[in-house]
Amino acid sequence: MDPLILASTPEDAAALRAAEAHHARLVGELTARVTLLLTGAGRDPAAGRRIHRGLLAFCDRAVLPHLSASAAVLYPAARALPEARPLIDGLIAEHACLSGLVGALRSASPAGAIADARALQVLLAEHLAKETGLVLPLLALAPGIRLSVLHADLDRRLSDGPSGADPRPAPRTREGGQAGGGGGPEETGGA
């Protein structure tokens, strides 16, 4: 049974569900990549480097663009609601922390990146839980704000991305690999 979703329109309810699913995919993919780094970095240095590069590529392709798109689309709309301003200020501060962790990962060795990767995983999960549980419902219920329109803009920005590539993960095959590309999340090209 679906949880109760409160929204001004059915379209806004659908947008809320889609955003929740997107957040779950982001956290799930990051968790998988961090787990690979935790388990693989010490065993095989070459695999550790590949996993580390794949984690950075995922951050560049999906995590950082999500943060940028949220700040550009959702946060200004939520900031118009006086009760949401302190929350939005806190989320913007978290963006700086998340970006800093990605920067730390960029300059660390695979083995040295483990703590930063885990911190990124935990902070992103908490950050997206606040977006999902607080910001999106506020927007979905706010008079005069159409979450469905905001979500469409967010999707467009994420689909266009800095490289024009689609940041969403490739469909999984029955064997657990990714369609059209052999390996799993440790590859730098597929996610």
Side-chain angles (χ1 to χ4, degrees):
M1 181 172 175
D2 283 337
L4 178 64
I5 295 180
L6 299 176
S8 299
T9 66
E11 295 82 12
D12 287 352
L16 185 56
R17 281 191 299 275
E20 289 172 346
H22 173 73
H23 288 170
R25 283 191 306 272
L26 266 178
V27 169
E29 179 82 12
L30 181 62
T31 298
R33 290 176 180 280
V34 170
T35 300
L36 281 172
L37 185 65
L38 294 171
T39 59
R43 289 188 202 155
D44 177 5
R49 287 189 296 276
R50 271 194 321 277
I51 294 164
H52 186 228
R53 284 192 308 267
L55 175 59
L56 288 169
F58 175 72
C59 288
D60 289 340
R61 183 179 62 255
V63 174
L64 294 176
H66 174 83
L67 297 176
S68 177
S70 292
V73 176
L74 298 178
Y75 294 0
R79 195 174 256 292
L81 306 170
E83 65 274 19
R85 287 184 190 138
L87 172 63
I88 298 305
D89 291 344
L91 291 172
I92 290 168
E94 288 178 4
H95 281 203
C97 292
L98 289 161
S99 296
L101 286 167
V102 172
L105 280 170
R106 205 173 301 288
S107 61
S109 68
I114 290 173
D116 292 326
R118 181 71 175 115
L120 176 66
Q121 175 192 356
V122 169
L123 183 56
L124 184 68
E126 290 299 316
H127 179 81
L128 294 179
K130 290 174 196 167
E131 279 189 8
T132 301
L134 300 171
V135 176
L136 294 173
L138 280 171
L139 292 172
L141 289 171
I145 295 178
R146 294 294 314 272
L147 183 59
S148 58
V149 172
L150 295 172
H151 187 262
D153 187 18
L154 195 71
D155 266 355
R156 181 188 53 75
R157 288 170 188 260
L158 291 173
S159 293
D160 291 346
S163 65
D166 186 350
R168 291 171 287 201
R172 296 272 175 196
T173 64
R174 269 204 324 222
E175 293 78 30
Q178 292 181 298
E186 71 278 358
E187 288 187 334
T188 58

